[in-house]
Amino acid sequence: MTNPVLAEGLGPFALPDFAAITDADFAPAFDQALTEARANIAAIAANPEAPSFANTIEALEQAEGLLDRVAGVFYNLSGADSTPAREALMRDLAPKMAAFASEVTMNRPLFARVERLWEMRESLELTPEQARVLELYFKMFVRSGAALQGVDAERMTEIKERLAVLSTAFSQNLLADERDWFRPLAEDELEGLPDFVVAAAKAAGAERGQDGPVLTLNRSLIVPFLQFSSRRDLRETAYEAWVARGANGGPTDNRVIAAEILNLREERAKLLGYDSFAAYKLEPEMAKTPENVRDLLMRVWTPAKARAEADAAKLTAMMHADGINGDLEAWDWRYYSEKRRVAEHDFDEAALKPYLSLDAMLGAMFDTANRLFGLDFRPIAGPFYHADVRGWEVSRKGRHIAVFLGDYFARPSKRSGAWCSAMRSQKKLGGETRPIVVNVCNFAKGDPCLLSYDDARTLFHEFGHALHQMLSDVTYQFVSGTSVARDFVELPSQLYEHWMEVPEVLEKHARHWQTGEAMPKALLDKLLAAATYDQGFLTVEFVASALVDLAFHEGAAPADPMALQAQVLAEIGMPKAIRMRHATPHFGHVFSGDGYSSGYYSYMWSEVMDADAFAAFEETGNAFDPATAERLERCILSVGGSVPADAAWMAFRGKTPGVEALLKGRGLVEA
Ligand SMILES: [Zn+2]
């Protein structure tokens, strides 16, 4: 009998045969798929014919077809519905998959063929998409070090290995510092804390074998403690312990590790021929250069700092009215800000929930996609991979577009957070393949399931990613759907969130699940007003971290990262009562791996674009303007990575993204 993971799919949409697949099927399926992929790669590399786009790039595109199918099913299941067997297989697979990936990029004869094609690219008569795919393959090889020879190649391997060791140590030190520090709270030290914070502190105490409540450095406990504790002395102790993570001296200190990481990154970038690590990292991004990143951050910094300083003056006055003289300190901000929020923006968030049932919000989400892109959604029967999963066929004017699966409820077998994945990606090479796209969330299951406002935004956010996959219309999987620059990939998702807040969408869909009444306007207005609260503080702490990240990776690596951090903060005039969102010794985004190194800015970059992209609709006076929606699909959602991000953006918007819409959205300038 054939392994059901390897089999062609079932039914009209060729879905994986979930009912037949067992955990025992995965390991042999991976073995067979890896063997097949290796044989395919070896055949391409050894092909006696001269390299052509078809026998090299298109062959590479198809070499891992079976592996894609197996991995598509397995990695979705291991994230959304794990079992001990799946976890064990994940651990086994991590080194195997990494080894396979580096075998491909370090395969010299294979690289020689890609390089030859790159050199002859002008004479190959490629379509624009083919030219782009060739460029991306070539750069993937070069950026991973395939072009290096002799001692340089050896040194590159050493650097990569050492960086992997250092980033793991950085994460583990951080975890150790977070785990080891706790402080028992006596009865009189609970002053000001609401019940949910006391309960969380008691739970943390029980976890640590303590009798009573304890304070820990877990973000979900320490942030509410800083918001609510009226004991200024304890807030100071807690805050200083929190920001000292990774900088406590001894074996868990991350400062020396950070310096070594920055040195090795610089050396790696230089070996590859770049001026700096930032230049290397930003090359494939929409931002392209450190100058572009700094320019954007500084345009946001100035109004954000002005807003934060005005807010600081108000909070200082509140503190003085409490009889505490002197300056507002970092451990005072959240406390007085919370008091001010209650005075200015208090409302009962729970009162919103009956209007935000999951079914109502799914209706809103699908209706929006129908009005913008003409998509129809028809429920289809499973079985899917879990009883909670729901499926829809997505079509347009009767033409099949995709299968969409929604897996919305939290369960112990699901990792936390929310995400979108393609179990099968769109492509046309080897025959039109339409995608299977999954959205996974962690909403509390209920009957009915009622969402918080944040949950509803998450629902729309992940569906924006899903549309990017479903509307993809490219030939090559390498550039399909969300295979775009990191600082571009959140544009479709963050943009889609805007439609949830369009008044007519809420009026039509945000209906009380029992009475069918529309959400009261006053409730909604309060919620929207509260959304911009304290954005001066949040923007300042974020931008400061992003600027330090950038400075670390430009030019020569600093001998003392802490000194450079201090210098950057002094230069921008960091307000006294606000510190970086992540200081160097616990800046995991930058040092626990390469993902967001020289890339922390990208969250804000995406926000600038989503705000400006939605402004394109608003400027027409119609949030569903058909011409703008058509342009969005044609220029951005359908092209994936086949067009560079900046060109896709320019085709859609006709001008570079401005920060004005973001500043208005965050309430940093008058709307
Ligand atoms: Zn996202």
Side-chain angles (χ1 to χ4, degrees):
M1 197 190 128
T2 29
N3 187 320
V5 186
L6 296 167
E8 291 280 347
L10 286 180
F13 312 124
L15 292 176
D17 187 358
F18 294 114
I21 294 172
T22 67
D23 282 351
D25 295 322
F26 285 114
F30 268 105
D31 283 344
Q32 191 177 330
L34 276 166
T35 303
E36 189 192 289
R38 282 198 167 94
N40 289 341
I41 301 275
I44 300 166
N47 190 340
E49 288 170 34
S52 68
F53 189 83
N55 75 17
T56 303
I57 301 298
E58 290 192 344
L60 273 172
E61 279 286 286
Q62 293 177 300
E64 297 171 26
L66 195 59
L67 187 57
D68 285 342
R69 188 187 303 165
V70 176
V73 176
F74 177 72
Y75 286 108
N76 184 72
L77 286 186
S78 60
D81 194 26
S82 196
T83 62
R86 291 171 189 171
E87 273 162 37
L89 184 54
M90 281 263 276
R91 282 191 296 273
D92 282 358
L93 280 172
K96 283 189 191 174
M97 297 294 275
F100 173 67
S102 94
E103 261 173 60
V104 175
T105 48
M106 291 303 175
N107 183 324
R108 293 208 161 271
L110 183 62
F111 175 61
R113 294 179 75 87
V114 175
E115 192 177 29
R116 182 77 194 104
L117 289 173
W118 174 249
E119 287 161 0
M120 357 185 307
R121 63 191 178 280
E122 302 297 342
S123 61
L124 295 176
E125 297 183 354
L126 300 176
T127 67
E129 182 180 341
Q130 288 173 329
R132 171 80 175 153
V133 168
L134 172 59
E135 179 189 351
L136 290 172
Y137 267 98
F138 175 68
K139 287 194 173 154
M140 176 185 79
F141 278 96
V142 170
R143 289 171 60 81
S144 62
L148 297 179
Q149 309 270 359
V151 285
D152 285 351
E154 280 165 34
R155 181 63 187 148
M156 179 58 83
T157 307
E158 275 171 26
I159 292 174
K160 281 186 187 171
E161 284 170 4
R162 180 68 184 152
L163 280 171
V165 170
L166 290 170
S167 59
T168 306
F170 190 96
S171 306
Q172 287 175 345
N173 288 343
L174 195 49
L175 263 175
D177 274 10
E178 279 178 14
R179 195 184 49 223
D180 293 348
W181 191 95
F182 69 89
R183 188 188 180 289
L185 294 169
E187 196 57 40
D188 64 329
E189 293 176 335
L190 303 175
E191 218 178 271
L193 302 182
D195 290 347
F196 83 91
V197 182
V198 176
K202 281 185 177 156
E207 259 172 38
R208 283 168 171 73
Q210 301 292 305
D211 265 347
V214 305
L215 181 62
T216 70
L217 300 181
N218 191 306
R219 197 173 183 97
S220 63
L221 182 52
I222 194 147
V223 168
F225 183 86
L226 292 168
Q227 275 175 319
F228 294 107
S229 172
S230 47
R231 287 281 302 267
R232 192 179 193 222
D233 57 333
L234 290 181
R235 292 201 310 264
E236 179 176 356
T237 306
Y239 187 85
E240 291 297 4
W242 190 38
V243 298
R245 286 166 301 145
N248 287 308
T252 60
D253 200 299
N254 272 335
R255 287 171 289 190
V256 174
I257 293 179
E260 190 182 347
I261 288 175
L262 295 176
N263 250 307
L264 290 173
R265 283 181 182 159
E266 186 198 355
E267 191 184 346
R268 179 178 173 181
K270 294 244 161 91
L271 274 174
L272 294 171
Y274 295 86
D275 285 346
S276 67
F277 187 76
Y280 162 71
K281 256 333 261 298
L282 292 168
E283 182 197 52
E285 302 297 328
M286 182 176 172
K288 286 204 164 58
T289 66
E291 293 71 33
N292 290 339
V293 172
R294 176 168 292 103
D295 176 57
L296 172 114
L297 291 172
M298 290 312 294
R299 280 190 287 157
V300 176
W301 171 258
T302 307
K305 184 181 159 194
R307 167 55 52 90
E309 281 169 345
D311 288 341
K314 286 188 182 157
L315 302 183
T316 304
M318 289 170 70
M319 186 175 83
H320 290 174
D322 268 358
I324 299 165
N325 293 317
D327 291 343
L328 187 77
E329 300 288 350
W331 47 89
D332 297 319
W333 190 290
R334 287 181 175 82
Y335 178 72
Y336 286 101
S337 178
E338 173 61 20
K339 280 184 181 291
R340 187 181 157 208
R341 188 190 68 78
V342 169
E344 293 179 10
H345 295 289
D346 201 26
F347 72 100
D348 180 10
E349 234 217 280
L352 285 173
K353 284 189 148 202
Y355 300 93
L356 302 174
S357 71
L358 175 61
D359 280 336
M361 289 297 102
L362 286 173
M365 177 178 109
F366 290 151
D367 188 28
T368 298
N370 178 269
R371 292 182 68 181
L372 290 169
F373 308 114
L375 298 178
D376 296 309
F377 297 83
R378 179 179 67 83
I380 53 174
F384 304 115
Y385 61 87
H386 188 280
D388 284 345
V389 178
R390 295 158 75 176
W392 289 267
E393 188 205 357
V394 186
S395 62
R396 178 155 55 189
K397 293 184 180 145
R399 180 180 168 244
H400 176 71
I401 297 286
V403 168
F404 175 67
L405 302 181
D407 178 359
Y408 292 118
F409 301 131
R411 55 176 171 262
S413 64
K414 197 186 270 188
R415 71 178 159 85
S416 60
W419 64 93
C420 172
S421 60
M423 211 179 277
R424 181 171 73 211
S425 297
Q426 184 274 332
K427 64 179 161 66
K428 291 184 216 162
L429 184 67
E432 171 90 62
T433 301
R434 296 309 311 175
I436 304 170
V437 183
V438 192
N439 273 180
V440 184
C441 298
N442 267 288
F443 305 144
K445 197 172 179 175
D447 189 21
C449 168
L450 300 178
L451 304 181
S452 70
Y453 201 75
D454 263 0
D455 289 342
R457 280 186 81 113
T458 301
L459 185 76
F460 270 65
H461 178 101
E462 298 308 333
F463 193 68
H465 286 306
L467 286 169
H468 202 182
Q469 300 279 19
M470 298 193 291
L471 293 173
S472 179
D473 188 24
V474 297
T475 301
Y476 301 100
Q477 184 173 333
F478 204 62
V479 291
S480 178
T482 54
S483 304
V484 299
R486 184 197 45 215
D487 62 4
F488 198 65
V489 75
E490 296 299 327
L491 168 63
S493 52
Q494 292 181 181
L495 173 59
Y496 207 67
E497 291 176 32
H498 287 267
W499 277 285
M500 197 190 103
E501 289 183 355
V502 169
E504 61 183 284
V505 171
L506 284 168
E507 250 164 59
K508 182 169 170 195
H509 294 282
R511 299 259 161 182
H512 196 285
W513 70 279
Q514 283 166 309
T515 65
E517 279 171 76
M519 183 186 289
K521 176 98 173 52
L523 198 58
L524 182 65
D525 287 348
K526 275 190 171 176
L527 177 102
L528 296 180
T532 61
Y533 183 66
D534 222 11
Q535 285 293 336
F537 171 87
L538 292 168
T539 311
V540 160
E541 65 162 14
F542 177 89
V543 173
S545 290
L547 286 167
V548 169
D549 167 37
L550 191 64
F552 277 166
H553 298 99
E554 276 186 283
D560 179 358
M562 298 304 284
L564 181 56
Q565 172 184 305
Q567 186 194 324
V568 171
L569 297 178
E571 278 166 12
I572 58 176
M574 186 73 172
K576 180 169 186 268
I578 307 179
R579 298 204 198 157
M580 293 167 73
R581 185 168 170 86
H582 308 284
T584 303
H586 49 260
F587 205 164
H589 291 83
V590 172
F591 295 109
S592 291
D594 256 2
Y596 279 89
S597 56
S598 195
Y600 192 62
Y601 77 94
S602 53
Y603 295 98
M604 184 151 286
W605 188 275
S606 303
E607 193 182 324
V608 165
M609 284 192 295
D610 77 67
D612 197 52
F614 193 67
F617 284 88
E618 289 179 316
E619 286 160 12
T620 69
N622 175 6
F624 296 92
D625 180 57
T628 312
E630 185 278 326
R631 218 166 55 242
L632 179 66
E633 179 177 349
R634 176 166 44 83
C635 303
I636 292 181
L637 297 176
S638 67
V639 300
S642 69
V643 175
D646 51 341
W649 173 268
M650 285 303 278
F652 168 66
R653 193 66 168 115
K655 58 180 183 179
T656 52
V659 298
E660 296 70 26
L662 171 133
L663 295 176
K664 277 183 207 158
R666 287 194 169 215
L668 298 174
V669 296
E670 294 308 317

